[in-house]
Amino acid sequence: MSNIGSLIQEADWRKEKHSPLIEAPVKVSPDEVFELSVGMSPEIEHPNTTEHHISWISLYFHPNGAKFPHQVGHFEFSAHGESVQGPNLGPVYTHHQVKTFLKIKESGTFYALSLCNIHGLWGAKKIVEVSDS
Ligand SMILES: [Fe+2]
């Protein structure tokens, strides 16, 4: 039986189209609402077709020293060109990118997990520090 961590692939988003990219400030104030975006590599475009697409991205926050992470959001991408005429003939495609707004009271690490419908689970992380100055 595989360790669950071995099922999550990690790679440099500059070289791998499946690697999520989390963009957020490196430092924030304790009560500052800030923007965080998460999507797939902006360098190498992942397909978005009926047959091959990103199904969802889930975002977690793990405060430094805490035992458990907190789920921040789960974003489903539900439209990939499906239609009654056939695959890729539909009028709408959900792009695999989201922006969300949040505040944190402690420094920690954001983790993104994404699922490609045929290439499995991929992960990435970003450290954000809370600072009063
Ligand atoms: Fe893929």
Side-chain angles (χ1 to χ4, degrees), residues 8 13 16-23 36-42 46-48 53-61 70-78 80 94-100 110-117 120-126:
I8 302 168
W13 58 266
E16 172 53 59
K17 66 179 178 279
H18 289 95
S19 189
L21 173 62
I22 303 169
E23 294 180 280
L36 182 150
S37 96
V38 58
M40 308 312 293
S41 170
H46 188 280
N48 188 7
H53 53 261
I54 302 300
S55 299
W56 52 256
I57 297 176
S58 217
L59 184 67
Y60 300 87
F61 178 65
H70 300 262
Q71 188 174 36
V72 173
H74 181 76
F75 310 100
E76 296 269 352
F77 308 119
S78 309
H80 306 282
T94 316
H95 188 67
H96 36 250
Q97 170 111 29
V98 293
K99 285 184 180 177
T100 187
F110 286 93
Y111 291 87
L113 273 181
S114 64
L115 180 71
C116 168
N117 68 321
L121 282 169
W122 293 76
K125 62 186 176 183
K126 169 137 184 123

Side-chain angles (χ1 to χ4, degrees), residues 75-93:
F75 310 100
E76 296 269 352
F77 308 119
S78 309
H80 306 282
E82 301 88 342
S83 86
V84 293
Q85 286 80 32
N88 303 304
L89 297 173
V92 60
Y93 295 76

